[in-house]
Amino acid sequence: MSTFLPQQFLAQIRDGIPPSAQDIRTFIAGIGTGKTSPAQIGAFVMAVYLKGLGKDEIVTLTKAVRDSGDVMRWNLDGPVLDKHSTGGVGDNVSLLLGPVIAACGGYVPMISGQGLGHTGGTLDKFSAIPGYNVNADNDLFRRAVKDIGCAIIGQTGALAPADKVMYAIRSATASVGSLPLITASILSKKLAEGLDGLVLDIKCGSGAIMNNFEDAKALATSLITIANGAGVKTSGIITDMSEPLASAAGNAVEVRNIINHFHGKRDARLHEVTVALCADMLVLGGLANNEADGRAKVEAVFDNGKAADVFARMVAALGGPNDLIQNPDKYLDTAPIITDIKAESTGIVSAIDTRKLGTAVIVLGGGRKSPNDQIDYAVGFDHIAPIGTKIEKGDVLARIHARTDDHVSEAGKMLRDAYILSDSAPDNPLIIERIGSGA
Ligand code: URA
């Protein structure tokens, strides 16, 4: 075996020459041992940002980052499945999807994250449930997955630690927005969960990280190609994020929204995306014969209460209350001011600046301005009027949950400004494209 010379390896990437798989593995392994210096990591991420990497090299990079920490192994009587979403506003699909898949015979060991930028985070929504331990240790996490079928917690330092180091350096060196690096970063963490199948929800629109379809499609294609190349059956859908997915945006308000969903009071768009993703997961995992069969199974576990039961057991197993679904108001924090934000003109909702709406949640205190900020779980919006709603002057655009009158003024104005009223509304498809769908 020849001696690894990091300078030579970096020169190859800088010059667009594909490096060997072994060199990629050695370079990434050196992040954990300290043999690869921060300067070399900085040079690496910038060179990849500028020159890109080929498919085989991205697969090798993804697996090397995955292998920088623990990779979970499961020995269960059903497929191990998960979903990744690129994030949006009012996107509480994960809270429904994990329990649905478990109720259908799959296992979901979901590692999720905090809100990023204007988008909400699954972890923050679970943190709104008193007692729920998003930092559960490995034993509790594994036991919950095995006994209940799903558990949703935050990233532990043991999973893909090289990604954490690389991400911090990417942030500091203007090299976050590189498709190969984003792909390796997202997938290394998901693949460390030891999955048999993965579905991706790539959001597109004013509330998504990817605003336009071409960028969303490029990311979806990259993620699906590399995940399949790394040996995990993966499909994806590109979905509309030009308005909030649920009629609520915040943390406790989104938990209430999914409890209503389990009780049968369902937002149509949230339901459709959840059913579509779950049906694809069931097909990937061999738990459904085709999309129609998968959809029927998903609807059944919503209607017969099995998905709600899994959710309740998961919450209790991770330290939350036993009766959250029966008595949400006993546990979920309520904001002192809850009031309607009314329209100042008349028309049909033709567009919503969803990024602005997500930013208004941050202004209320429901998201972070800096990474270590404390979140106010009670605040946010619900009763959010969707695109296509006919609005008379004085009608409700949304209901605000706020801590102070100043917050009502500032975030209420942002919400009003986010709404575009005109004399017609576009018919935006909710599921814009399916890629490599198993269904
Ligand atoms: N999310 C990640 O985990 N990594 C990225 O690089 C971008 C989004």
Side-chain angles (χ1 to χ4, degrees):
M1 205 169 67
S2 58
T3 305
F4 174 69
L5 292 175
Q7 306 87 320
Q8 213 168 53
F9 169 75
L10 292 168
Q12 283 180 316
I13 297 175
R14 180 199 63 200
D15 297 339
I17 300 165
S20 74
Q22 186 53 47
D23 282 359
I24 295 174
R25 286 193 284 267
T26 306
F27 185 83
I28 297 298
I31 295 177
T33 60
K35 280 192 179 158
T36 303
S37 72
Q40 288 165 334
I41 300 168
F44 173 75
V45 295
M46 182 54 80
V48 172
Y49 182 96
L50 293 171
K51 291 292 177 141
L53 277 181
K55 179 196 157 203
D56 291 348
E57 288 73 32
I58 306 173
V59 169
T60 305
L61 174 66
T62 302
K63 286 165 112 180
V65 179
R66 173 198 68 188
D67 295 340
S68 67
D70 294 347
V71 180
M72 294 180 199
R73 307 253 176 255
W74 302 96
N75 186 14
L76 301 165
D77 60 4
V80 181
L81 305 165
D82 199 7
K83 176 217 58 150
H84 175 78
S85 161
T86 55
V89 178
D91 174 9
N92 44 9
V93 168
S94 293
L95 284 75
L96 299 169
L97 172 143
V100 164
I101 297 300
C104 291
Y107 291 88
V108 183
M110 190 184 286
I111 305 291
S112 62
Q114 295 182 332
L116 210 60
H118 68 281
T119 66
T122 297
L123 217 53
D124 299 329
K125 293 165 203 176
F126 277 108
S127 299
I129 302 171
Y132 190 104
N133 183 6
V134 294
N135 300 312
D137 64 27
N138 199 33
D139 279 354
L140 175 55
F141 179 63
R142 290 188 70 89
R143 215 172 331 119
V145 172
K146 188 166 175 293
D147 296 347
I148 299 161
C150 75
I152 303 177
I153 63 164
Q155 196 185 350
T156 69
L159 282 188
D163 174 64
K164 203 168 175 193
V165 177
M166 280 170 64
Y167 194 88
I169 292 178
R170 285 165 61 202
S171 263
T173 57
S175 43
V176 169
S178 144
L179 221 45
L181 296 176
I182 293 173
T183 301
S185 170
I186 290 173
L187 290 180
S188 58
K189 288 170 285 199
K190 283 289 163 190
L191 301 192
E193 294 174 0
L195 303 178
D196 299 311
L198 174 66
V199 295
L200 300 164
D201 182 7
I202 311 297
K203 305 285 187 191
C204 175
S206 64
I209 311 277
M210 299 296 183
N211 210 330
N212 72 63
F213 176 73
E214 285 69 32
D215 290 347
K217 175 133 188 193
L219 178 59
T221 306
S222 174
L223 288 166
I224 290 167
T225 307
I226 300 306
N228 280 299
V232 174
K233 278 189 278 178
T234 303
S235 66
I237 54 179
I238 300 177
T239 62
D240 179 54
M241 186 36 75
S242 59
E243 59 184 309
L245 186 59
S247 61
N251 295 291
V253 289
E254 287 193 49
V255 175
R256 283 195 174 88
N257 178 270
I258 66 104
I259 291 174
N260 287 338
H261 206 101
F262 283 130
H263 286 318
K265 196 165 164 243
R266 296 174 187 157
D267 289 334
R269 286 163 48 83
L270 171 64
H271 192 65
E272 172 54 19
V273 171
T274 305
V275 172
L277 288 164
C278 288
D280 279 1
M281 286 170 84
L282 295 182
V283 173
L284 281 179
L287 294 169
N289 298 325
N290 51 44
E291 187 195 354
D293 184 32
R295 282 180 165 266
K297 288 192 158 92
V298 173
E299 296 286 5
V301 297
F302 268 124
D303 292 344
N304 64 22
K306 285 190 178 162
D309 182 55
V310 172
F311 178 82
R313 288 195 293 131
M314 175 181 73
V315 167
L318 287 161
N322 285 318
D323 58 343
L324 178 73
I325 291 201
Q326 291 78 18
N327 299 303
D329 292 337
K330 191 167 148 195
Y331 300 106
L332 297 173
D333 200 4
T334 305
I337 306 170
I338 302 176
T339 187
D340 291 336
I341 302 296
K342 295 182 177 167
E344 290 173 343
S345 56
T346 292
I348 297 172
V349 178
S350 59
I352 300 173
D353 182 341
T354 309
R355 179 175 289 252
K356 185 168 266 175
L357 198 156
T359 309
V361 175
I362 299 177
V363 165
L364 289 170
R368 294 178 187 78
K369 297 185 190 88
S370 328
N372 295 326
D373 281 356
Q374 275 297 320
I375 284 198
D376 185 342
Y377 296 112
V379 301
F381 297 98
D382 62 3
H383 301 182
I384 298 170
I387 289 178
T389 310
K390 272 180 88 171
I391 296 282
E392 298 290 334
K393 186 175 173 184
D395 282 354
V396 177
L397 294 174
R399 192 168 70 157
I400 193 168
H401 298 237
R403 197 56 69 183
T404 67
D405 289 330
D406 284 351
H407 281 165
V408 173
S409 304
E410 188 180 352
K413 178 174 182 334
M414 288 174 77
L415 179 98
R416 265 193 215 98
D417 289 349
Y419 271 80
I420 312 292
L421 304 184
S422 68
D423 51 12
S424 66
D427 189 14
N428 297 327
L430 179 56
I431 296 180
I432 302 169
E433 190 162 318
R434 292 174 170 274
I435 301 177
S437 174

mmCIF file of all heavy atoms in Angstrom, residues 56-72:
data_model
loop_
_atom_site.group_PDB
_atom_site.id
_atom_site.type_symbol
_atom_site.label_atom_id
_atom_site.label_comp_id
_atom_site.label_asym_id
_atom_site.label_seq_id
_atom_site.Cartn_x
_atom_site.Cartn_y
_atom_site.Cartn_z
ATOM 1 N N ASP A 56 -19.036 7.902 -7.930
ATOM 2 C CA ASP A 56 -18.372 6.873 -7.112
ATOM 3 C C ASP A 56 -17.654 7.500 -5.920
ATOM 4 O O ASP A 56 -17.632 6.944 -4.822
ATOM 5 C CB ASP A 56 -17.365 6.083 -7.959
ATOM 6 C CG ASP A 56 -18.072 5.216 -8.990
ATOM 7 O OD1 ASP A 56 -19.311 5.062 -8.874
ATOM 8 O OD2 ASP A 56 -17.399 4.723 -9.911
ATOM 9 N N GLU A 57 -17.061 8.667 -6.162
ATOM 10 C CA GLU A 57 -16.318 9.333 -5.079
ATOM 11 C C GLU A 57 -17.286 9.846 -4.002
ATOM 12 O O GLU A 57 -16.970 9.807 -2.808
ATOM 13 C CB GLU A 57 -15.479 10.506 -5.630
ATOM 14 C CG GLU A 57 -14.269 10.075 -6.436
ATOM 15 C CD GLU A 57 -14.621 9.513 -7.809
ATOM 16 O OE1 GLU A 57 -15.631 9.963 -8.401
ATOM 17 O OE2 GLU A 57 -13.910 8.602 -8.287
ATOM 18 N N ILE A 58 -18.475 10.312 -4.439
ATOM 19 C CA ILE A 58 -19.443 10.798 -3.418
ATOM 20 C C ILE A 58 -19.963 9.612 -2.592
ATOM 21 O O ILE A 58 -20.143 9.722 -1.374
ATOM 22 C CB ILE A 58 -20.625 11.569 -4.052
ATOM 23 C CG1 ILE A 58 -20.124 12.697 -4.944
ATOM 24 C CG2 ILE A 58 -21.516 12.164 -2.957
ATOM 25 C CD1 ILE A 58 -21.220 13.410 -5.735
ATOM 26 N N VAL A 59 -20.182 8.472 -3.258
ATOM 27 C CA VAL A 59 -20.609 7.278 -2.503
ATOM 28 C C VAL A 59 -19.538 6.914 -1.478
ATOM 29 O O VAL A 59 -19.833 6.675 -0.296
ATOM 30 C CB VAL A 59 -20.879 6.081 -3.461
ATOM 31 C CG1 VAL A 59 -21.060 4.794 -2.674
ATOM 32 C CG2 VAL A 59 -22.109 6.348 -4.328
ATOM 33 N N THR A 60 -18.276 6.899 -1.913
ATOM 34 C CA THR A 60 -17.183 6.550 -0.989
ATOM 35 C C THR A 60 -17.097 7.556 0.158
ATOM 36 O O THR A 60 -16.946 7.182 1.328
ATOM 37 C CB THR A 60 -15.828 6.504 -1.744
ATOM 38 O OG1 THR A 60 -15.964 5.616 -2.837
ATOM 39 C CG2 THR A 60 -14.700 6.057 -0.838
ATOM 40 N N LEU A 61 -17.223 8.849 -0.182
ATOM 41 C CA LEU A 61 -17.169 9.896 0.847
ATOM 42 C C LEU A 61 -18.306 9.705 1.856
ATOM 43 O O LEU A 61 -18.089 9.759 3.081
ATOM 44 C CB LEU A 61 -17.272 11.277 0.180
ATOM 45 C CG LEU A 61 -17.366 12.480 1.122
ATOM 46 C CD1 LEU A 61 -16.071 12.645 1.928
ATOM 47 C CD2 LEU A 61 -17.658 13.768 0.340
ATOM 48 N N THR A 62 -19.508 9.458 1.348
ATOM 49 C CA THR A 62 -20.677 9.291 2.225
ATOM 50 C C THR A 62 -20.459 8.119 3.188
ATOM 51 O O THR A 62 -20.711 8.233 4.398
ATOM 52 C CB THR A 62 -21.941 9.046 1.365
ATOM 53 O OG1 THR A 62 -22.093 10.149 0.474
ATOM 54 C CG2 THR A 62 -23.186 8.895 2.223
ATOM 55 N N LYS A 63 -19.986 6.996 2.639
ATOM 56 C CA LYS A 63 -19.776 5.825 3.495
ATOM 57 C C LYS A 63 -18.648 6.078 4.502
ATOM 58 O O LYS A 63 -18.715 5.637 5.654
ATOM 59 C CB LYS A 63 -19.449 4.603 2.638
ATOM 60 C CG LYS A 63 -20.695 4.063 1.907
ATOM 61 C CD LYS A 63 -20.314 3.143 0.843
ATOM 62 C CE LYS A 63 -20.516 1.776 0.735
ATOM 63 N NZ LYS A 63 -20.072 1.069 -0.387
ATOM 64 N N ALA A 64 -17.628 6.790 4.061
ATOM 65 C CA ALA A 64 -16.506 7.070 4.980
ATOM 66 C C ALA A 64 -16.972 7.960 6.131
ATOM 67 O O ALA A 64 -16.594 7.738 7.292
ATOM 68 C CB ALA A 64 -15.357 7.735 4.221
ATOM 69 N N VAL A 65 -17.814 8.962 5.823
ATOM 70 C CA VAL A 65 -18.307 9.834 6.894
ATOM 71 C C VAL A 65 -19.240 9.028 7.803
ATOM 72 O O VAL A 65 -19.188 9.134 9.035
ATOM 73 C CB VAL A 65 -18.989 11.096 6.313
ATOM 74 C CG1 VAL A 65 -19.526 11.976 7.437
ATOM 75 C CG2 VAL A 65 -18.031 11.896 5.443
ATOM 76 N N ARG A 66 -20.089 8.191 7.205
ATOM 77 C CA ARG A 66 -20.957 7.312 8.018
ATOM 78 C C ARG A 66 -20.105 6.478 8.976
ATOM 79 O O ARG A 66 -20.394 6.350 10.151
ATOM 80 C CB ARG A 66 -21.739 6.379 7.073
ATOM 81 C CG ARG A 66 -22.545 5.306 7.778
ATOM 82 C CD ARG A 66 -22.922 4.176 6.823
ATOM 83 N NE ARG A 66 -21.752 3.414 6.401
ATOM 84 C CZ ARG A 66 -21.756 2.472 5.457
ATOM 85 N NH1 ARG A 66 -22.871 2.190 4.814
ATOM 86 N NH2 ARG A 66 -20.648 1.823 5.142
ATOM 87 N N ASP A 67 -19.010 5.916 8.450
ATOM 88 C CA ASP A 67 -18.192 4.990 9.237
ATOM 89 C C ASP A 67 -17.270 5.701 10.225
ATOM 90 O O ASP A 67 -16.509 5.045 10.946
ATOM 91 C CB ASP A 67 -17.367 4.096 8.296
ATOM 92 C CG ASP A 67 -18.277 3.196 7.474
ATOM 93 O OD1 ASP A 67 -19.439 2.983 7.884
ATOM 94 O OD2 ASP A 67 -17.843 2.715 6.405
ATOM 95 N N SER A 68 -17.326 7.049 10.258
ATOM 96 C CA SER A 68 -16.492 7.763 11.239
ATOM 97 C C SER A 68 -17.035 7.582 12.657
ATOM 98 O O SER A 68 -16.393 7.955 13.627
ATOM 99 C CB SER A 68 -16.409 9.256 10.886
ATOM 100 O OG SER A 68 -17.667 9.889 11.046
ATOM 101 N N GLY A 69 -18.244 7.036 12.781
ATOM 102 C CA GLY A 69 -18.828 6.797 14.108
ATOM 103 C C GLY A 69 -19.559 5.477 14.141
ATOM 104 O O GLY A 69 -19.324 4.606 13.305
ATOM 105 N N ASP A 70 -20.471 5.346 15.097
ATOM 106 C CA ASP A 70 -21.247 4.105 15.223
ATOM 107 C C ASP A 70 -22.195 3.954 14.035
ATOM 108 O O ASP A 70 -22.796 4.931 13.594
ATOM 109 C CB ASP A 70 -22.107 4.137 16.489
ATOM 110 C CG ASP A 70 -21.255 4.142 17.745
ATOM 111 O OD1 ASP A 70 -20.038 3.873 17.619
ATOM 112 O OD2 ASP A 70 -21.799 4.430 18.828
ATOM 113 N N VAL A 71 -22.333 2.728 13.575
ATOM 114 C CA VAL A 71 -23.360 2.423 12.569
ATOM 115 C C VAL A 71 -24.285 1.397 13.227
ATOM 116 O O VAL A 71 -23.828 0.343 13.678
ATOM 117 C CB VAL A 71 -22.745 1.857 11.268
ATOM 118 C CG1 VAL A 71 -23.846 1.544 10.259
ATOM 119 C CG2 VAL A 71 -21.752 2.857 10.674
ATOM 120 N N MET A 72 -25.556 1.747 13.330
ATOM 121 C CA MET A 72 -26.481 0.859 14.052
ATOM 122 C C MET A 72 -26.732 -0.418 13.269
ATOM 123 O O MET A 72 -26.809 -0.401 12.044
ATOM 124 C CB MET A 72 -27.813 1.570 14.269
ATOM 125 C CG MET A 72 -27.706 2.742 15.192
ATOM 126 S SD MET A 72 -29.310 3.523 15.395
ATOM 127 C CE MET A 72 -28.785 5.102 15.988
#
